């Protein structure tokens, strides 16, 4: 499979009366875009588009999703089973607007899996999104049945975000890209002899799929991954929109759709493919609730790896807590099969850093990469501008903030300053590989 992504670099984004791209300036017809999105889903009651730039003294909360605007040159939809009919992913030509993202924001209401982005100041260092121009789609819906629930599907707004990314992406269709990324994934059984002496390496992805109630989990080709069993897929499918983010997972631990589209760890695998190792693809697994479900998935991952002839594996999970059980079990069963594993995840050591980092530990998980401690506290001053609703941090059960603490008070203070756990930065631990965090001994 061969996927080509032509990159068009955006210097600035403006709202106007037409859709255009001239001299690096992306202009979006705001009225037309809003009318289109409301027509597609009559559950949307209120919608606005606001632009946030890197360095702005702006706080965005509650952030629901981020997506990269793209267009498929052959006319297929960007996210099969979501923005259009089911179509194959993983090959063909795309164009992508780089340097910006669609950022979906709740105008009033937040949820457990929603988070915070700071565009400037000390808070900007906590997320990759502060480096991008955020095209914020700020909205509300009539989904009253989940209004006061801590856990929300946010269906209408998430779907609107994906449609909006596709709407913007179409502006790139006739543009000349500045550069091109090419990802070729040859059939595993038809590779040249030069690779046969290289070690075979696979990456095991464990996207969020814990919620047995449907509508909260990541979707693969529009299919709720709670219903999913592990399988082998091409890494180019992931870059090409086969999977989108769900609404359930502590915010800093999530993989947003933007991260699936640009998964840095997978890109790194391509970088040395055929040179240092033979990249044999992705074993797409899941995260479960019951122990028999966890064991079933681990067994299937093991057997797929053995049948592919995998010599080494990377295992990475979306989340922490209950998913740590799947994450560690998968590593142990591969190690028992003679396949050494490197694990990538964040950890939950508590606010003092003294807790057990993973819910389950095993001596065989001896090569772990940490992307950060979800419990670490951050205190920041007010920002001049808030996009969304700061009160959601206190009211709506977001994963790293609270309405009352006898020592710390509430997360969003009356003066606009905040105190919260790392948990609340939207995709802030960037387990997909964007993280700029490092470690030091003290």
């Amino acid at each position: 499979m061969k996927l080509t992504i032509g990159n068009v670099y955006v210097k600035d984004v403006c709202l106007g009366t037409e859709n255009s791209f001239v001299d690096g300036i992306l202009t979006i017809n705001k009225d037309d875009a809003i009318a289109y999105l409301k027509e597609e889903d009559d559950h949307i009651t209120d919608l606005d588009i606001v632009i946030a730039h890197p360095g702005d003294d702006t706080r965005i909360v509650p952030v629901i999703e981020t997506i990269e605007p793209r267009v498929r040159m052959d006319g297929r939809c960007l996210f099969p089973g979501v923005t259009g009919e089911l179509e194959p992913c993983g090959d063909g030509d795309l164009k992508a607007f780089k340097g910006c993202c669609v950022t979906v924001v709740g105008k009033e209401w937040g949820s457990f899996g929603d988070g915070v982005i700071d565009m400037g100041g000390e808070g900007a260092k906590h997320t990759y999104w502060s480096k991008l121009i955020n095209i914020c789609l700020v909205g509300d819906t009539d989904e009253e049945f989940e209004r006061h629930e801590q856990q929300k599907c946010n269906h209408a707004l998430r779907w609107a975000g994906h449609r909006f990314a596709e709407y913007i992406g179409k502006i790139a269709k006739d543009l000349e890209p500045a550069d091109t990324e090419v990802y070729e994934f040859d059939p595993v059984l038809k590779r040249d002899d030069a690779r046969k002496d290289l070690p075979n390496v696979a990456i095991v992805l464990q996207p969020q799929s814990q919620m047995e109630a449907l509508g909260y989990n990541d979707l693969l080709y529009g299919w709720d991954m709670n219903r999913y069993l592990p399988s082998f897929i091409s890494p180019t499918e992931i870059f090409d929109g086969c999977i989108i983010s769900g609404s359930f997972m502590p915010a800093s631990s999530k993989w947003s759709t933007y991260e699936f589209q640009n998964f840095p760890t997978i890109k790194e695998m391509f970088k040395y493919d055929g040179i240092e190792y033979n990249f044999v693809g992705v074993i797409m697994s899941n995260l479960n609730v019951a122990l028999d479900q966890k064991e079933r998935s681990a067994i299937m991952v093991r057997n797929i790896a053995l049948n592919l002839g995998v010599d080494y594996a990377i295992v990475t999970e979306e989340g922490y807590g209950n998913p740590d059980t799947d994450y560690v079990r998968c590593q142990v069963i591969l190690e028992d099969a003679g396949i050494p594993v490197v694990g990538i995840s964040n950890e939950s050591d508590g606010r003092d850093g003294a807790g057990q980092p993973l819910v389950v530990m095993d001596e065989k998980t001896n090569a772990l990469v940490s992307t950060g401690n979800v419990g670490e506290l951050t205190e920041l001053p007010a920002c001049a501008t808030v996009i969304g609703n700061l009160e959601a941090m206190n009211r709506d059960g977001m994963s790293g903030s609270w309405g009352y603490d006898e020592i710390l008070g509430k997360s969003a203070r009356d003066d606009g300053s905040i105190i919260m756990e790392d948990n609340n930065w939207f995709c802030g631990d960037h387990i997909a590989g964007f993280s700029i965090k490092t470690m030091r001994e003290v």
Side-chain angles (χ1 to χ4, degrees):
M1 301 179 83
K2 181 178 179 180
L3 182 69
T4 301
I5 305 174
N7 294 322
V8 178
Y9 292 89
V10 177
K11 296 178 182 177
D12 199 3
V13 179
C14 301
L15 301 176
T17 57
E18 63 178 4
N19 293 320
S20 66
F21 184 81
V22 180
D23 296 331
I25 310 300
L26 173 62
T27 301
I28 300 167
N29 185 329
K30 177 178 176 177
D31 291 342
D32 183 73
I34 290 174
Y36 161 70
L37 295 171
K38 284 187 171 182
E39 183 179 346
E40 288 293 310
D41 193 333
D42 58 12
H43 288 290
I44 297 172
T45 57
D46 197 354
L47 209 56
D48 195 11
I49 301 170
V50 183
I51 310 300
H53 295 86
D56 286 354
D57 189 14
T58 297
R59 181 162 290 145
I60 311 172
V61 58
V63 179
I64 296 168
E65 170 71 295
T66 58
I67 312 123
E68 184 168 79
R70 293 180 171 186
V71 62
R72 291 195 61 105
M73 301 306 292
D74 59 9
R76 281 184 279 174
C77 69
L78 205 55
F79 302 105
V82 176
T83 58
E85 297 298 320
L86 283 170
E87 301 276 4
C89 285
D91 54 3
D93 297 324
L94 291 166
K95 287 182 184 174
F97 278 126
K98 308 303 275 190
C100 66
C101 64
V102 168
T103 302
V104 183
V105 186
K107 181 180 179 181
E108 297 292 341
W109 303 95
S111 180
F112 176 73
D114 302 342
V116 177
I117 296 171
D118 273 11
M119 296 302 296
E122 183 69 11
K125 73 179 184 182
H126 287 276
T127 74
Y128 176 78
W129 319 114
S130 65
K131 306 177 192 301
L132 304 176
I133 301 168
N134 283 239
I135 308 167
C136 298
L137 188 67
V138 187
D140 199 4
T141 75
D142 66 0
E143 295 163 315
E144 297 290 341
F145 67 94
E146 62 179 18
R147 180 73 78 210
H148 299 289
E149 296 291 333
Q150 182 184 23
Q151 193 58 250
K152 299 177 178 65
C153 291
N154 282 324
H155 182 278
L157 290 180
R158 287 196 296 125
W159 256 238
H162 292 90
R163 293 188 182 107
F164 189 36
E166 192 171 65
Y167 173 93
I168 295 170
K170 290 176 180 178
I171 302 171
K173 187 166 187 180
D174 297 324
L175 301 176
E176 188 67 28
D179 58 49
T180 301
E181 300 172 45
V182 179
Y183 299 98
E184 291 192 61
F185 187 74
D186 296 330
V188 176
L189 297 179
K190 294 185 178 181
R191 297 191 171 180
D192 57 62
D193 290 340
R195 289 172 176 261
K196 67 181 181 181
D197 294 326
L198 295 173
N200 297 322
V201 181
I203 183 167
V204 179
L205 299 187
Q206 296 179 308
Q208 202 295 117
S209 53
Q210 282 181 281
M211 287 291 284
E212 293 180 335
L214 302 182
Y216 301 90
N217 302 300
D218 293 355
L219 299 181
L220 188 73
Y221 288 100
W223 185 258
D224 192 298
M225 292 196 72
N226 184 261
R227 298 175 171 180
Y228 183 75
L229 289 172
S231 66
F232 166 81
I233 70 171
S234 167
T236 59
E237 293 177 80
I238 297 167
F239 293 158
D240 194 22
C242 81
I243 185 168
I244 69 166
S245 179
S247 68
F248 174 75
M249 187 50 65
S252 72
S253 306
K254 290 176 71 168
W255 290 333
S256 74
T257 298
Y258 184 104
E259 290 183 295
F260 283 121
Q261 292 172 297
N262 293 279
F263 215 102
T265 304
I266 298 177
K267 287 189 176 183
E268 193 74 5
M269 297 296 293
F270 270 109
K271 187 175 179 179
Y272 298 100
D273 180 33
I275 302 170
E276 295 186 5
Y277 47 74
N278 181 33
F279 180 28
V280 297
V282 174
I283 301 174
M284 185 69 79
S285 187
N286 55 353
L287 299 168
N288 301 285
V289 177
L291 285 174
D292 64 324
Q293 296 168 354
K294 296 174 186 290
E295 188 64 20
R296 183 180 300 110
S297 289
I299 289 169
M300 294 183 73
V301 167
R302 169 193 180 272
N303 291 347
I304 294 170
L306 288 173
N307 282 294
L308 283 173
V310 173
D311 297 306
Y312 300 93
I314 296 171
V315 175
T316 183
E317 65 169 336
E318 181 186 6
Y320 73 94
N322 187 302
D324 291 345
T325 314
D326 306 75
Y327 174 62
V328 170
R329 180 60 188 136
C330 189
Q331 292 181 64
V332 170
I333 202 170
L334 289 173
E335 291 276 353
D336 287 343
I339 301 171
V341 175
V342 173
I344 305 173
S345 73
N346 58 9
E347 54 188 288
S348 180
D349 300 319
R351 293 176 183 176
D352 60 1
Q356 180 171 299
L358 300 173
V359 168
V360 176
M361 301 291 289
D362 191 285
E363 61 185 11
K364 293 175 183 176
T365 56
N366 56 11
L368 298 177
V369 177
S370 170
T371 64
N373 172 25
V374 302
E376 198 159 323
L377 283 173
T378 300
E379 188 170 3
L380 293 166
C383 289
T385 301
V386 173
I387 298 174
N389 188 344
L390 198 64
E391 181 60 24
M393 296 179 65
N394 298 333
R395 183 192 60 209
D396 297 333
M398 293 169 64
S399 50
S401 55
W402 52 87
Y404 171 77
D405 183 283
E406 62 182 13
I407 297 173
L408 302 175
K410 57 187 179 182
S411 281
R413 297 165 177 152
D414 295 340
D415 64 359
S417 65
I418 62 171
I419 184 167
M420 66 182 198
E421 293 180 346
D422 179 83
N423 246 336
N424 231 42
W425 293 112
F426 182 74
C427 299
D429 292 327
H430 292 299
I431 303 169
F434 280 120
S435 181
I436 59 171
K437 295 178 182 177
T438 188
M439 297 180 71
R440 67 179 181 184
E441 289 191 27
V442 295

